[in-house]
Amino acid sequence: MLSYRHAFHAGNHADVLKHLCLSMVLEKLIEKDKPLTYLETHAAAGAYDLNTAMPQKNREYMSGISPLLASEVSSEAMSRYKALVARYFADYKYPGSPAVAASVLREQDKLVLMELHNTEFEILRNNMRRDKRVTLHHRDGIEGVLALSPPTPRRGIVLIDPPYEQPLEYERIATLIAQLHRKWPVGVIALWYPLLAQERNRAPAMLDVIARSQPASLFTAELWVEAQASDYGMYGSGMAFINLPWTVDEKIASVLPEIQQILAPDQGGFSHRWVLSPN
């Protein structure tokens, strides 16, 4: 479970979907003056130097954030995300979700970041050391987010972004979300998940279990950049939300066609739907 290093994948198509969606949710939440708490279960390094060995091995950012930065975009949300990333890209760095959240959030907001991997945690601590809004926890994020919820302030969002290295992780995440939603019913829960080859794709079953736990609502958005293989490979990814703020579903739906056209105009595709509509 501790072999995963996100630096190998920094800035890829999955990061683009995840961080664009995250930025749109946070932008909606900060429209109100009240402070909020941002929690993350698998914060990893927080930001990534793309000149280092791991990102350079497969250069996944070259088919993700790079073409997006080089493209003209029509939506304001995508323009703001591009501007956020461009500040890092000037030094050939890519902001992970902690850096994205820190860039969007305000002085009165809090960030609670969890990471278990020893090396990743030390890099995270170095990357976030100057931000007084940040509290770091060197711990298992699934255990940690339950222990720390509901947070203070109670208004806020949690990003759940595990590596999914083991099949049981899908079951663990579904159980976590049911428990977390009971403990923190007003919290926005954001879940990233991979879309894998047919023989390995456990995301649909996980989402079905989450839906059967009867959360207040459940919205999903998916982006794929190639055809689904039968045996191996990640062809896309998705984001699932409980308590998605009002109108953010429409904003996500509006940017998906543009992302797909930039990243995968030939073999790509997208979907968005309310699995469970808000009451």
Side-chain angles (χ1 to χ4, degrees), residues 211-223:
R212 284 191 276 112
S213 71
Q214 291 297 304
S217 60
L218 182 62
F219 178 82
T220 63
E222 297 182 348
L223 172 73

Side-chain angles (χ1 to χ4, degrees), residues 44-45 120-130 136:
E120 294 283 71
F121 182 78
E122 290 304 317
I123 301 172
L124 176 68
R125 179 154 54 188
N126 183 63
N127 282 332
M128 310 301 291
R129 68 186 184 280
R130 295 187 179 91
L136 301 179

